Every structure is written in structure tokens, then in C-alpha cells.
Amino acid sequence: AHAGHEDLEAVACRALQVLTWEHGGNQRRAVRAGALDAVAAILRRDHVGDDALGAGLCALRSLAAGTQAHRREAGEFGMVEAVVRVLKANPRRAALQWRAAHALHTLVRDDAANQTSAGKSGAVKELVGAMRRHAQDEDLQAACAEALQNVVFDCPENQELATRAHAVDAVLLAMRTHRDSPSVHEHACGALWNLIAGHPGNAASAQAGRAEGLVVAAIDRFPGHEGVQENACGALSRLRLSA
């Protein structure tokens, strides 16, 4: 009813995010009421302000976070492509890139069709590009690495796209730049784990970039951080298998 009225759209999307976060019943009700259509209209429109666009991305993440069925429905609605469109259209707006990366991470989790859509629409290149453009932004580095981790998981086509985009190099740079950040190291190690699993090209890039030393250092630096320890050990095992 108020499409194009960005202040109202932003408020509505924030309310939608709160109402649907970790609430399966409200997620289902919102989708049946046309929430995906409303959010898609914001994400696909040109020249949208940061407030409305960011709120739309957060609402989408909340709608898709519940179950695989919700992610599948969002994927069938074209939401993966809509999020990648936001990444492409707003390369210098770090806060939007961060929110888009989080939304993408959620959409592709445990959903092969959404992974394929992400690869075909250019998500890998855009995530790596965001990491390079905003190398000093710790939160964005962690979010992009986490999204990459899911986009390439058990997906040879997206792993190959990551090779062409030099994703391993971007991940290793994030680890070097943000050496004291547990969130960056948790998701960078997770991304490395999935990038090199069964992919000799990415494994070779990791070896050339001295990834093993960075991963071992992360294990030593964050002894009480479960996420870092799990992902770093997974990455380390893959690195040593590929050596």
C-alpha cells in the first residue's frame, strides 16, 4: 500500500524482522501474507536509500532463517538473485554489503538450488570484491567469509568460480589484516575448509599463500573459541591432506 515510501518501508521491515526472527509460526504467516513480495520489491527497486534497503535485507534474513523450506521458498521467489543485485549495485556502501552478505549466508545454507543460483548470479565474485574493497572492515570481512563458506560448500561449480575470483587470497588477507579478530578467523577458516575440500586448485593457492601457518596461529591465538577451533581444525586437516 505504501510502496516507495521508504520511511514506512524501513519501519515495516524492522517490525517484520522482529516478529519473524526465530519464530516459525510468524515466518509462515508473513510469507502467506506476501512478505517476500514486499521485500523483493524493495531489493529490486533502483535508487533505494540505505535505511529501507538495509531493513529489507534484515527482514529477508529473518524470514529465511527458520527452516530449509523457508529458504527454498525464498529461493524460488528469486531472492538470491535480488540479494546479489544489491551487492552489485552498492559496492561502496559497506553497511549494505555486510547485510547482503548475512542474507546470502542464510539463503544458501543447506540449499543446493540456492547455492547454484548464487553462483550463476555472480555472488562469489561480489563477495570477494567486497572483501578487497573494504579490507579494513572487520565485520564485513567476517560476514563475507561466512557467506563464502556456505556458497562453496560441497559445490564444485562455485569452488571453481572462487578460484577465478582468487577467493583464497582474499580470505588469507583477511586473516592477516585482522589477526586478533575471532569472528574473522572463525569464518575465514570455515571458508578455507570448504574452498579447498576436493579442489586441488584452491588447495594449491592456500599452500602458496602459507595458509597452514595462519590456521595454526589461529588455533593458538583463540584457544577458548569453539567456532575458531572447529573450523581451523577442519581447514588444517584439509590442508595437510592436500600437501
Side-chain angles (χ1 to χ4, degrees):
H2 300 285
H5 295 262
E6 291 190 10
D7 290 344
L8 287 174
E9 288 176 327
V11 170
C13 284
R14 290 194 193 95
L16 185 61
Q17 177 190 4
V18 171
L19 288 169
T20 58
W21 184 252
E22 295 185 346
H23 194 299
N26 284 350
Q27 288 166 348
R28 290 189 292 274
R29 293 183 191 98
V31 170
R32 286 199 298 268
L36 288 175
D37 189 37
V39 171
I42 297 171
L43 301 188
R44 292 169 180 159
R45 198 166 65 232
D46 293 329
H47 310 300
V48 180
D50 287 20
D51 200 25
L53 199 52
L57 288 165
C58 291
L60 172 60
R61 184 187 180 201
S62 185
L63 286 166
T67 66
Q68 188 172 5
H70 295 153
R71 292 189 286 278
R72 181 83 305 278
E73 188 163 1
E76 291 171 353
F77 207 82
M79 299 307 281
V80 172
E81 293 85 351
V83 171
V84 176
R85 182 182 186 276
V86 173
L87 284 169
K88 290 179 178 179
N90 301 279
R92 300 295 173 185
R93 295 155 85 178
L96 287 179
Q97 299 264 297
W98 176 76
R99 289 183 172 86
H102 273 301
L104 190 60
H105 150 73
T106 300
L107 286 165
V108 301
R109 187 173 70 236
D110 300 323
D111 193 295
N114 284 355
Q115 282 181 294
T116 298
S117 296
K120 289 181 176 179
S121 58
V124 174
K125 180 180 178 181
E126 294 304 319
L127 290 168
V128 173
M131 294 180 77
R132 295 196 181 282
R133 282 189 300 274
H134 305 283
Q136 300 302 318
D137 190 320
E138 177 183 333
D139 292 337
L140 182 57
Q141 295 295 309
C144 288
E146 186 177 27
L148 273 174
Q149 179 180 350
N150 280 2
V151 168
V152 303
F153 174 68
D154 200 22
C155 184
E157 295 83 4
N158 289 352
Q159 286 178 311
E160 185 59 31
L161 291 171
T163 303
R164 299 175 198 168
H166 303 287
V168 169
D169 294 342
V171 170
L172 297 180
L173 178 61
M175 295 176 74
R176 291 189 173 98
T177 303
H178 302 279
R179 65 184 304 276
D180 295 320
S181 169
S183 61
V184 168
H185 281 77
E186 175 183 355
H187 300 307
C189 287
L192 276 178
W193 186 357
N194 291 344
L195 282 163
I196 65 181
H199 195 285
N202 286 335
S205 295
Q207 297 290 356
R210 299 184 178 181
E212 183 170 332
L214 293 171
V215 172
V216 171
I219 293 171
D220 292 339
R221 193 176 298 123
F222 306 104
H225 195 293
E226 184 178 347
V228 172
Q229 295 297 311
E230 179 180 354
N231 286 347
C233 288
L236 185 60
S237 67
R238 286 291 179 180
L239 285 164
R240 289 182 172 171
L241 284 171
S242 67

